[in-house]
Amino acid sequence: YENNMRGLVDALIDFKEGFPTFAPLQVGFNATAFQDLTDGDASFMRTSDGQVGKASAADGTIENATVVGFANSSVSANDTVKVIVTGLKTVGSLNAGDLFFLSDSTAGAISTSAPSGAGKAITRVGEASTATDLAIHIEPPILLR
């Protein structure tokens, strides 16, 4: 702002109306897929090589249940995929307000039902903000014993 009365007025107007924000709708990174991925698959990253694959809540390991984001396109194994870690991801038919967890029945899928039973992991991944958009909010997994 200018160091004069006009600058003060401009600052007050911005303060009154709210400062503009230029946040992206999605934030992500590129990674190599070690298996075929479908657009929207919840993904985990292997610590051994940094490649991504379908996350699973049913295999009894924290690594596979640690969701790093969602595949932003369908790719084959060894291809590069953009993994969305925060923001909005269009995933299909949703009910606004529903919470979503990593599914324990299908690798890479999400569900409104939290897994239960020994050896499974509960990983909250987000909330439906509209009928088609998931607001990504990934939490660390909790392994059930």
Side-chain angles (χ1 to χ4, degrees), residues 31-44 46 51-56 69-83 106-109:
T32 301
F34 66 82
Q35 67 183 148
D36 293 352
L37 293 173
T38 302
D39 184 19
D41 277 347
S43 304
F44 82 101
R46 288 194 305 208
Q51 294 185 354
V52 296
K54 295 178 183 184
S56 173
F70 290 86
N72 204 36
S73 62
S74 295
V75 297
S76 298
N78 300 314
D79 286 346
T80 299
V81 63
K82 183 168 187 175
V83 179
T106 305

Side-chain angles (χ1 to χ4, degrees), residues 60-122:
T61 68
I62 288 292
E63 181 179 48
N64 290 10
T66 302
V67 176
V68 294
F70 290 86
N72 204 36
S73 62
S74 295
V75 297
S76 298
N78 300 314
D79 286 346
T80 299
V81 63
K82 183 168 187 175
V83 179
I84 305 302
V85 298
T86 189
L88 297 177
K89 176 71 180 134
T90 301
V91 294
S93 298
L94 308 172
N95 292 317
D98 282 354
L99 298 178
F100 283 86
F101 302 87
L102 181 60
S103 173
D104 63 343
S105 61
T106 305
I110 59 174
S111 171
T112 55
S113 300
S116 62
K120 296 186 180 180
I122 299 173

